[in-house]
Amino acid sequence: MNIWRLLRTKTAIFPISLLLFGTFAGGVVFWGGFHTAMDYTNTLEFCVSCHEMRSTVYEEYKKSPHFSNASGVQAVCSDCHVPKETYPKIIRKIEAAKEVYSKLTGKIDTKEKFEAHRLTMAKSVWAEMEANDSQQCRNCHKQASMDFAKQHPKASETMQKGFKDGETCISCHKGIAHKLPDMSQGYKALYDELKALSVSEGASADHLYAITSKPFFVEQSKAESNGKSDGRILGGTDVAVLERSGNLLKVRIAGWQQDQVDRVIYALRGQRIFSATVGKKVIDKIKRLKTEVDPDTELTWHQVQIDTWVSKENLISNGDQLWTYTREMYSAACSTCHGLRDPEHFLANQWIGSLKAMKRFISLDKEQYRILQKYLQLNAKDTGGSEAHG
């Protein structure tokens, strides 16, 4: 009886053991195959197997020190774009499914399409690297192992300052392996939207913002004949609408003037944030509301206003959209070589000198430069942000 029971028990155990062994062996095979596939999709050959990569970023990468250098140490695509850790790596591979979709739909299957999307794609990568503190860079470039004495003096100074200020690698090293996108694409597209908005709105609101400088006239007849202007409202300035007449608006420009500086109206007392310039012949049309002495500088300031006529063009009611445009411009113009300074890093008047020192490194026209400076000043340490004045 005991012998038969033992035989039945062994007979039952055998298929269970076989099942467990098979499951274990299958798991090993699956896991091995999975990792083999993961490793293969991280190779340079796989990454450039599609023409979208091979004919664009691969050609740029081949000219970079990541591809060829004196030491012969090569960083391939996955070293910069795929995490080393298992679970972050798996997540990245899952996210790559979107790229497969773009491949299948031909979203970037020509150089022209690729260039049109280059800025968007680059921004996505930069944001990811900022979020993980440029982890892929730090896998090879370790701060503790850097010999700053062997670096170029200027590079050494910049690198050490960047580490001290808490900047991450991608803040200063955009475009190190690939061509930088046209950084102006974003803010130029937003400006086109502002222009379209100014046309569609028809300046119908009672409170408007100038998206660029525009002439003003004290007399309506002069505005109708489009004669010589009496001054200019500068980009970013907000005005109150008092009256409408066809394509013209009577608007009130309000702000502050420094005593004996009669031709400039500033947005705030004590801060040189330009709102309008006034011609000599109409200075007497400026109305003074009150006078104050700035306790910090002991300079006398007058709160003023002037009523003028302007055309409806280039005026919008949504200040948020205007400042979104200027924020994008700030990022595009000033984030290529270093991390962006928070506008609150400086006082409003300090931004004038700081931006002027960088002027030769940025490619903005006069109008763009002015409104960028105004955005930074209105969001400076001592002004409280543009929303406080909109």
Side-chain angles (χ1 to χ4, degrees):
M1 187 72 174
N2 292 336
I3 294 175
W4 285 109
R5 186 179 300 168
L6 179 62
L7 287 173
R8 285 199 301 270
T9 303
K10 287 184 176 182
T11 303
I13 290 175
F14 178 75
I16 295 174
S17 301
L18 185 63
L19 178 63
L20 291 175
F21 176 78
T23 302
F24 175 76
V28 170
V29 171
F30 170 79
W31 194 248
F34 177 76
H35 272 277
T36 299
M38 290 273 282
D39 290 341
Y40 174 68
T41 58
N42 281 345
T43 62
L44 178 61
E45 292 73 22
F46 176 83
C47 291
V48 299
S49 60
C50 59
H51 77 274
E52 287 89 344
M53 299 295 103
R54 187 171 58 251
S55 62
T56 53
V57 290
Y58 178 54
E59 292 301 317
E60 299 160 11
Y61 159 68
K62 287 196 297 184
K63 300 174 184 177
S64 78
H66 278 156
F67 180 81
S68 178
N69 52 69
S71 63
V73 178
Q74 187 182 67
V76 298
C77 309
S78 59
D79 290 320
C80 296
H81 295 287
V82 181
K84 300 290 185 185
E85 301 79 8
T86 301
Y87 292 111
K89 184 192 298 185
I90 293 173
I91 292 172
R92 177 66 188 94
K93 293 298 181 181
I94 294 172
E95 291 173 344
K98 293 186 295 183
E99 295 159 22
V100 175
Y101 176 78
S102 296
K103 164 72 177 176
L104 295 175
T105 57
K107 190 171 184 178
I108 54 172
D109 60 354
T110 67
K111 287 188 176 181
E112 292 74 21
K113 290 181 182 178
F114 189 95
E115 290 302 324
H117 288 89
R118 184 186 283 264
L119 179 60
T120 301
M121 293 186 291
K123 280 186 172 183
S124 176
V125 174
W126 295 340
E128 181 183 330
M129 296 186 76
E130 286 176 357
N132 67 19
D133 194 18
S134 303
Q135 181 59 50
Q136 281 82 280
C137 300
R138 296 178 188 274
N139 287 334
C140 295
H141 303 279
K142 302 185 185 301
Q143 179 182 347
S145 301
M146 289 185 182
D147 188 343
F148 294 109
K150 292 182 179 180
Q151 295 179 357
H152 186 280
K154 182 61 178 176
S156 175
E157 178 186 350
T158 303
M159 187 76 75
Q160 292 183 75
K161 185 177 185 302
F163 283 133
K164 183 179 179 181
D165 293 345
E167 292 186 359
T168 190
C169 309
I170 198 62
S171 298
C172 304
H173 294 286
K174 296 180 179 73
I176 195 168
H178 304 300
K179 184 180 76 174
L180 276 172
D182 178 1
M183 301 294 286
S184 67
Q185 283 181 338
Y187 67 80
K188 284 182 177 178
L190 289 174
Y191 184 74
D192 290 340
E193 291 179 13
L194 293 179
K195 293 277 288 186
L197 185 63
S198 71
V199 173
S200 64
E201 279 192 344
S204 57
D206 293 331
H207 188 83
L208 302 169
Y209 294 83
I211 65 174
T212 188
S213 296
K214 56 189 288 100
F216 69 73
F217 307 86
V218 170
E219 298 177 2
Q220 182 178 355
S221 58
K222 201 172 180 181
E224 290 171 339
S225 63
N226 199 26
K228 185 178 180 180
S229 68
D230 295 318
R232 297 189 71 80
I233 298 173
L234 302 183
T237 298
D238 57 296
V239 297
V241 179
L242 306 176
E243 189 178 332
R244 302 175 189 276
S245 178
N247 191 49
L248 296 177
L249 303 174
K250 187 177 184 180
V251 299
R252 175 166 293 165
I253 307 167
W256 293 82
Q257 284 187 321
Q258 184 182 331
D259 194 42
Q260 298 183 7
V261 184
D262 297 327
R263 298 191 58 187
V264 180
I265 296 177
Y266 300 99
L268 300 171
R269 188 203 72 188
Q271 281 91 20
R272 303 186 187 283
I273 306 172
F274 299 91
S275 289
T277 57
V278 184
K280 289 182 180 179
K281 295 182 180 180
V282 295
I283 289 176
D284 61 331
K285 301 295 184 180
I286 300 173
K287 182 179 180 181
R288 291 184 177 178
L289 305 177
K290 66 178 180 179
T291 298
E292 294 181 358
V293 176
D294 187 340
D296 296 324
T297 62
E298 297 185 353
L299 293 174
T300 300
W301 289 80
H302 309 289
Q303 188 176 25
V304 299
Q305 65 183 41
I306 181 171
D307 296 342
T308 67
W309 288 88
V310 298
S311 64
K312 289 182 178 179
E313 288 79 18
N314 297 325
L315 291 168
I316 62 171
S317 62
N318 193 329
D320 289 340
Q321 285 188 256
L322 177 64
W323 302 125
T324 296
Y325 156 67
T326 52
R327 279 194 296 272
E328 176 65 23
M329 187 192 302
Y330 179 42
S331 176
C334 302
S335 68
T336 303
C337 302
H338 57 78
L340 283 180
R341 294 285 190 188
D342 190 301
E344 293 186 5
H345 185 78
F346 293 117
L347 300 174
N349 292 341
Q350 289 176 327
W351 268 116
I352 299 174
S354 178
L355 201 57
K356 187 175 182 180
M358 295 291 105
K359 191 174 184 178
R360 62 193 177 98
F361 300 111
I362 57 180
S363 55
L364 299 178
D365 62 30
K366 186 184 295 185
E367 287 294 328
Q368 292 166 341
Y369 182 87
R370 283 175 176 170
I371 200 167
L372 171 59
Q373 177 174 295
K374 190 163 192 174
Y375 160 72
L376 293 170
Q377 289 181 292
L378 285 173
N379 288 278
K381 184 187 297 185
D382 56 341
T383 55
S386 60
E387 293 79 5
H389 316 294

